Amino acid sequence: MLFHLNYLLVNPKFLLKPRDSICFFLFHTRYGKLVVDRPKSHFFEHSFACVQPSVFYSSSLSRNPSFNSDSGPESHVVDKSYFGDSNDGYHKFNQMGTQDSSDLSLFGSDNAEFDKSEKCDFDIFAEEVEEGEDGSDSDDHFMVLDSFDKYRVNREEIRRVVLEEDEFRHPLVREVCRLIELRSAWSPKLEGELRNLLRSLKPRQICAVLRSQADECVALQFFYWADRQWRYRHDPIVYYMMLEILSKTKLCQGAKHVLRLMARRGTECRPEAFSYLMVAYSRAGKLRNAMYVLSMMQKAAVAPNLLICNTAIHVLVVGNKLAKALRFLERMQLAGITPNVLTYNCLIKGYCDLHRIKDAIKLIDEMPLKGCSPDKVSYYTVMGYLCKEKRIKEVRDLMEKMVNDSNLFHDQVTYNTLIHMLSKHGHGDEALEFLKEAEKGGFRVDKVGYSAVVHSFCKEGRIEEAKELVNQMSQMGCIPDVVTYTAVVNGFCRVGELDQAKKMLQQMYHHGCKPNTVSYTAFLNGLCHNGKSLEAREMINTSEEEWWTPNAITYSVVMHGLRREGKLSEACDVVREMVKKGFFPTPVEINLLIQSLCREGKMDGAKKFMQECLNKGCAVNVVNFTSLIRGFCQKGDLEEALSLLDDMYLCKKDPDTVTYTTIIDALSKNGRVEEATELIMKMLSKGLVPTVVTYRTVIHRYCQVGRVEDLLKLLEKMLSKQKCRTAYNQVIENLCSFGYLEEAGKILGKVLRTASKADASTCHVLMESYLNKGIPLLAYKVACRMFNRNLIPDLKLCKKVSERLILEGKSEEADTLMLRFVERGHIQPKSEEHLQR
């Protein structure tokens, strides 16, 4: 640093231009590289405009060991282009988030926008592989194991952050969460408040804010927004917390972006970070991308450890690639990485998933020989599968093996596991047997174990036995809780005994167990399924008197009950009340109600209901609009349907292929073919791909009105977007059904190009149509063309053609047709007696 200060003193140009010297000092101190930008004059509005950032960077360097001077100048070098191509330093100062911009990226950006704003050269994190069968069993990604150094001293791992309850209740954390919830009414003022709070939060409190978000996407957007703020930098534990949250979802692209951001910000990427990305890819069903993470590690020069190896084996097992997981195990052992009990437990689960129980037990037997004794989870995994198959004898044999071979004694967890697994799969009697055995052995089975058996009995309709077991619980000193009673209430409702269910609710009060929302919702569900939805509606109205609060599921149950009974007006009222209470119906629920209104012919009511949902902020989607459009089309009100199509663009609900297909079908059916053609062209210009239903609809309607030339031109454009192998087959079959045989014969050559079984069926339809029209000679010509393409026509059909040809005096063609069958061995020569005539 002294050298650089001397350099400033001996260069007069820096002394004459103090702004340049300040910028030189600021950016060089931060990045260890000569970066001189000449800010505009407004950058220095205040006398301490540059002093304040330098103080921040100094504190940043002292806090973060990754930015110490020992790392060398090359550790965190950022190119000058990061600060802009021009000399306008203030431009990048604004982009770092110091101003109250109108473009509030926290709640308006997605991953694509992040890619644009966060350009980086870390290609290893930007690469993506396509999912497919080819190469799925390749072991190329195992090369990362070769970089393992068994003599290397492992550094301290980033451990999972465990947050205390007090950290979630901290006033700063709660206030930040409140501001995030106001994202629908976001303003520059609120962003300023959030920015000020952000700088006061400690790293663990930031983690608490991320954990508190019910929607992981919102947590990710907040994470991106915070990263862009001036005078703030994410602590490493925040990155790992974000990755841990994303690993529990399918947001693999978000996890990849976080990893790229870690590399860009100079935060060390440990194997733990890559393991989170692997799990996210696995949850998204992208097995090849998950395994490609190993190659990313190798390119990033990150040495593997046991954690990443166990994650890779887990991902392969979940993806039903047990053979590849076993090969990976061999490679990691050759590289010097010793598997532990978690490694083997993953493989045991893989064997069980493939119903290879003997191999799973064999692996348990071999584990001590490999220097790793099995634990209880190893045995529980196999027991769970055996319980599912009701193989009780083998379960008991395994329990004995667990004690004799591994010296693992049965405990309360063992019996609870067996009870829950058997109950889950409907084996209540066997679960009860283990429950009694546990009590005889001196183990106390808690109310959760009893509730599992009770629930199993109720699902099987054995309500009296479930009720008796509840009474036994009280006698044993195990007081039933609300979950146990609710299972019985639900069981009574399943068999239609609503009076008994109501008595059970009252009995809960007598035993000091107050029914909760789930208990009442189960009872209301029973009322609705037994045609008493109005009574259920009345119970919601009196819920405050009973001291319980309906939730979204409660309202949904009653709404569906009223809908099934045809009380659509009352169902809409329930939805309105639901929205007033702060609960929003799902798009599926909205769609079911719209479809019911449309079936009843109440189109105005359906449109009004959807408009109310839009105004109240409900999640109305394209399917809801399409259902309403279909209703207007079926009613014949095409103008209203077209008007709704325009409204979709205004509401930013872009119509999909199904929406267009629905209107195209209605327009063609009503003879408005030109408008239908324009709509098809519009759909294609929007980049939408026609589906099989689209092809079937367009072909049927155009053939119906005989617009063959227009259809063929349209098909060429549609096929350029999306191939449909049977498109011309459908054209010929539809033309035949509408009597346009001449047009059908003209395009037969397009069908015979592929010479498939479907093409043969199409040819048979055309031959039948020619016979019905009394033109056997054309049917004969179709059969000959089939023979020329190595397609064998139907023998019975050709005999009919031959007979009709003989009747018309065309014996030569009839004999030629039969001889073609003889040549191919489908008819014995002696059986052709008519040839001797």
Side-chain angles (χ1 to χ4, degrees):
M1 191 63 200
L2 180 61
F3 168 79
H4 300 302
L5 289 174
N6 292 335
Y7 179 75
L8 289 175
L9 295 175
V10 298
N11 282 274
K13 64 178 182 179
F14 283 102
L15 299 177
L16 293 173
K17 298 179 180 179
R19 295 176 185 174
D20 287 355
S21 62
I22 292 174
C23 290
F24 176 92
F25 182 81
L26 169 63
F27 292 131
H28 186 70
T29 302
R30 173 67 179 87
Y31 295 107
K33 183 177 179 181
L34 179 59
V35 180
V36 179
D37 270 343
R38 188 191 305 273
K40 299 291 184 181
S41 59
H42 52 255
F43 187 85
F44 296 93
E45 276 184 38
H46 304 286
S47 56
F48 295 100
C50 286
V51 176
Q52 200 171 18
S54 64
V55 173
F56 162 68
Y57 284 137
S58 300
S59 60
S60 162
L61 291 167
S62 63
R63 285 201 315 265
N64 198 330
S66 62
F67 282 89
N68 56 28
S69 58
D70 296 335
S71 60
E74 289 81 11
S75 297
H76 302 285
V77 177
V78 179
D79 193 80
K80 180 179 177 179
S81 60
Y82 174 75
F83 296 100
D85 296 330
S86 68
N87 289 328
D88 190 359
Y90 185 73
H91 173 66
K92 282 299 176 182
F93 184 87
N94 278 346
Q95 286 190 348
M96 294 297 287
T98 55
Q99 83 292 357
D100 292 329
S101 61
S102 58
D103 182 15
L104 303 173
S105 55
L106 172 55
F107 302 111
S109 67
D110 54 11
N111 290 340
E113 291 183 8
F114 171 72
D115 278 335
K116 294 175 186 177
S117 62
E118 297 291 346
K119 296 178 182 178
C120 74
D121 298 328
F122 298 97
D123 295 335
I124 58 172
F125 300 109
E127 296 178 17
E128 194 86 9
V129 293
E130 296 182 1
E131 290 295 316
E133 293 298 327
D134 296 337
S136 60
D137 290 327
S138 173
D139 295 346
D140 295 341
H141 306 314
F142 296 179
M143 298 295 292
V144 69
L145 297 174
D146 297 337
S147 62
F148 176 75
D149 183 4
K150 60 184 177 181
Y151 300 106
R152 179 175 57 91
V153 178
N154 290 327
R155 289 167 294 182
E156 184 180 355
E157 294 182 355
I158 298 286
R159 298 192 180 276
R160 184 175 180 270
V161 182
V162 180
L163 300 174
E164 302 293 336
E165 188 66 28
D166 293 341
E167 291 173 309
F168 288 100
R169 295 177 180 176
H170 194 280
L172 288 176
V173 173
R174 295 175 65 179
E175 180 62 16
V176 169
C177 292
R178 185 188 70 82
L179 290 174
I180 292 175
E181 288 177 359
L182 298 175
R183 58 187 178 275
S184 58
W186 202 242
S187 66
K189 180 181 177 181
L190 291 178
E191 187 189 17
E193 293 179 16
L194 186 59
R195 185 183 299 112
N196 292 332
L197 289 172
L198 176 68
R199 293 166 185 160
S200 303
L201 292 175
K202 296 179 181 178
R204 292 181 63 86
Q205 292 171 342
I206 294 287
C207 294
V209 171
L210 296 175
R211 279 275 190 192
S212 301
Q213 305 308 312
D215 188 348
E216 293 83 2
C217 292
V218 175
L220 184 60
Q221 290 173 354
F222 172 75
F223 175 87
Y224 288 153
W225 175 86
D227 176 75
R228 288 192 289 267
Q229 302 311 302
W230 183 251
R231 296 184 62 198
Y232 174 80
R233 182 190 179 94
H234 281 314
D235 189 88
I237 66 169
V238 178
Y239 287 106
Y240 283 90
M241 174 59 73
M242 191 70 250
L243 286 171
E244 181 185 343
I245 292 172
L246 294 175
S247 70
K248 298 175 182 178
T249 69
K250 297 180 180 180
L251 300 174
C252 52
Q253 293 300 322
K256 186 181 72 172
H257 290 153
V258 173
L259 202 60
R260 291 172 61 190
L261 192 59
M262 289 178 69
R264 181 186 180 93
R265 298 292 185 254
T267 302
E268 185 177 6
C269 296
R270 303 270 182 97
E272 293 86 344
F274 290 94
S275 69
Y276 287 133
L277 179 58
M278 287 185 73
V279 175
Y281 271 127
S282 176
R283 288 183 182 275
K286 298 183 177 182
L287 177 61
R288 293 191 65 198
N289 283 288
M291 296 308 298
Y292 185 73
V293 173
L294 296 175
S295 298
M296 290 169 55
M297 282 186 64
Q298 186 180 20
K299 294 177 182 178
V302 178
N305 61 4
L306 183 57
L307 171 66
I308 197 71
C309 291
N310 284 344
T311 304
I313 290 176
H314 167 74
V315 166
L316 290 170
V317 167
V318 171
N320 292 322
K321 299 290 183 181
L322 180 60
K324 190 171 182 179
L326 292 171
R327 294 200 302 272
F328 187 88
L329 176 65
E330 294 177 1
R331 288 289 295 272
M332 65 181 272
Q333 288 175 314
L334 290 174
I337 303 177
T338 304
N340 62 2
V341 68
L342 294 177
T343 314
Y344 290 111
N345 285 345
C346 286
L347 296 174
I348 290 170
K349 182 184 182 300
Y351 281 124
C352 291
D353 290 342
L354 297 177
H355 311 287
R356 295 168 60 179
I357 301 300
K358 291 183 179 180
D359 291 328
I361 296 175
K362 182 181 177 182
L363 181 58
I364 291 176
D365 293 337
E366 294 175 351
M367 284 176 66
L369 302 176
K370 298 179 180 181
C372 180
S373 299
D375 62 1
K376 290 185 177 182
V377 177
S378 310
Y379 287 96
Y380 293 162
T381 304
V382 182
M383 286 180 185
Y385 177 80
L386 294 174
C387 288
K388 180 180 178 181
E389 299 292 318
K390 201 178 176 181
R391 294 157 64 173
I392 306 302
K393 183 180 181 303
E394 294 177 64
V395 170
R396 293 196 177 278
D397 292 341
L398 202 58
M399 291 176 70
E400 291 182 10
K401 185 182 183 66
M402 178 177 167
V403 176
N404 298 332
D405 295 354
S406 301
N407 201 29
L408 297 172
F409 296 97
H410 309 153
D411 56 11
Q412 186 173 342
V413 177
T414 307
Y415 284 104
N416 278 340
T417 302
L418 294 172
I419 291 168
H420 281 280
M421 291 302 298
L422 288 167
S423 301
K424 178 182 177 182
H425 298 291
H427 310 312
D429 291 325
E430 290 75 13
L432 185 59
E433 183 180 340
F434 277 106
L435 188 148
K436 292 178 179 178
E437 181 182 321
E439 291 178 340
K440 288 180 182 179
F443 299 110
R444 178 184 173 85
V445 181
D446 59 7
K447 61 186 71 177
V448 179
Y450 274 100
S451 299
V453 182
V454 169
H455 184 62
S456 178
F457 283 155
C458 291
K459 285 197 300 183
E460 297 173 13
R462 300 160 61 181
I463 308 302
E464 293 302 324
E465 295 176 62
K467 192 174 180 181
E468 182 181 351
L469 188 59
V470 172
N471 295 331
Q472 289 179 13
M473 287 178 64
S474 302
Q475 296 172 5
M476 296 291 294
C478 182
I479 306 302
D481 61 0
V482 65
V483 177
T484 312
Y485 282 113
T486 301
V488 179
V489 170
N490 189 43
F492 278 124
C493 293
R494 280 174 176 267
V495 296
E497 297 184 16
L498 299 178
D499 293 336
Q500 291 293 329
K502 197 168 187 177
K503 288 180 182 178
M504 182 59 69
L505 284 174
Q506 296 170 353
Q507 185 180 343
M508 290 175 68
Y509 281 107
H510 295 318
H511 288 85
C513 183
K514 183 178 177 293
N516 60 11
T517 302
V518 179
S519 309
Y520 279 104
T521 301
F523 181 64
L524 294 181
N525 189 43
L527 289 174
C528 292
H529 278 90
N530 286 274
K532 297 182 178 181
S533 298
L534 290 177
E535 185 179 342
R537 176 79 174 89
E538 187 61 30
M539 281 191 67
I540 287 184
N541 294 336
T542 60
S543 60
E544 293 184 1
E545 300 174 7
E546 299 291 338
W547 294 93
W548 68 280
T549 304
N551 59 16
I553 299 175
T554 312
Y555 283 106
S556 178
V557 163
V558 177
M559 184 269 288
H560 285 303
L562 292 168
R563 180 184 59 82
R564 285 191 296 266
E565 293 177 18
K567 300 178 175 64
L568 302 181
S569 177
E570 291 83 354
C572 291
D573 290 338
V574 169
V575 174
R576 294 185 183 100
E577 182 179 341
M578 176 181 180
V579 173
K580 286 181 181 177
K581 296 290 184 179
F583 304 114
F584 293 96
T586 64
V588 175
E589 293 168 344
I590 295 172
N591 200 57
L592 288 171
L593 201 48
I594 289 175
Q595 288 178 341
S596 299
L597 289 166
C598 291
R599 278 195 295 268
E600 295 290 329
K602 300 178 180 179
M603 299 308 306
D604 293 336
K607 185 178 180 181
K608 180 182 177 182
F609 172 72
M610 193 178 74
Q611 188 62 48
E612 288 180 3
C613 290
L614 277 171
N615 295 338
K616 296 294 183 181
C618 298
V620 177
N621 61 13
V622 178
V623 179
N624 304 141
F625 273 98
T626 302
S627 297
L628 189 57
I629 287 173
R630 183 180 290 109
F632 278 113
C633 289
Q634 290 174 347
K635 190 180 178 181
D637 192 350
L638 298 183
E639 299 305 323
E640 190 65 39
L642 291 169
S643 175
L644 275 172
L645 184 67
D646 295 333
D647 291 342
M648 291 181 71
Y649 285 106
L650 295 175
C651 297
K652 296 183 179 180
K653 309 289 183 184
D654 292 347
D656 58 9
T657 306
V658 179
T659 313
Y660 278 106
T661 302
T662 302
I663 302 180
I664 289 167
D665 180 54
L667 289 171
S668 304
K669 185 179 180 180
N670 286 271
R672 299 165 65 171
V673 181
E674 286 76 12
E675 293 179 64
T677 304
E678 290 179 7
L679 209 56
I680 294 171
M681 298 306 297
K682 182 179 180 181
M683 180 187 77
L684 297 176
S685 66
K686 296 286 184 183
L688 297 174
V689 178
T691 63
V692 175
V693 178
T694 310
Y695 276 105
R696 187 165 59 242
T697 301
V698 171
I699 289 169
H700 179 78
R701 294 304 179 189
Y702 275 73
C703 290
Q704 189 177 22
V705 295
R707 301 283 290 270
V708 182
E709 292 297 328
D710 295 337
L711 174 61
L712 294 178
K713 292 178 182 178
L714 201 56
L715 279 180
E716 288 182 6
K717 295 178 180 178
M718 291 173 67
L719 289 169
S720 66
K721 296 286 185 180
Q722 178 67 34
K723 298 296 182 183
C724 180
R725 193 174 56 81
T726 61
Y728 291 109
N729 300 67
Q730 295 179 51
V731 173
I732 291 176
E733 292 169 11
N734 275 274
L735 288 173
C736 290
S737 63
F738 292 117
Y740 298 102
L741 301 184
E742 183 179 354
E743 291 80 358
K746 290 179 180 178
I747 61 174
L748 182 62
K750 294 182 179 291
V751 169
L752 290 174
R753 289 175 183 171
T754 55
S756 64
K757 290 183 179 180
D759 300 335
S761 300
T762 302
C763 292
H764 293 155
V765 171
L766 184 58
M767 290 171 67
E768 288 274 10
S769 301
Y770 280 137
L771 284 178
N772 295 334
K773 274 282 190 178
I775 319 173
L777 184 60
L778 292 180
Y780 161 76
K781 291 181 178 179
V782 172
C784 291
R785 293 180 69 177
M786 290 179 68
F787 278 117
N788 293 338
R789 296 293 299 168
N790 291 324
L791 285 175
I792 308 300
D794 182 68
L795 180 58
K796 293 182 179 179
L797 180 59
C798 287
K799 285 182 177 179
K800 291 181 182 178
V801 174
S802 179
E803 292 171 359
R804 296 285 292 275
L805 287 171
I806 292 172
L807 290 175
E808 291 189 3
K810 297 184 173 67
S811 301
E812 183 178 351
E813 286 82 357
D815 294 341
T816 301
L817 183 58
M818 291 296 103
L819 280 172
R820 301 291 286 269
F821 281 100
V822 173
E823 291 171 358
R824 284 165 173 75
H826 290 271
I827 298 179
Q828 296 297 329
K830 61 180 181 181
S831 64
E832 296 301 311
E833 297 179 356
H834 71 279
L835 294 176
Q836 306 297 329
R837 296 173 185 170

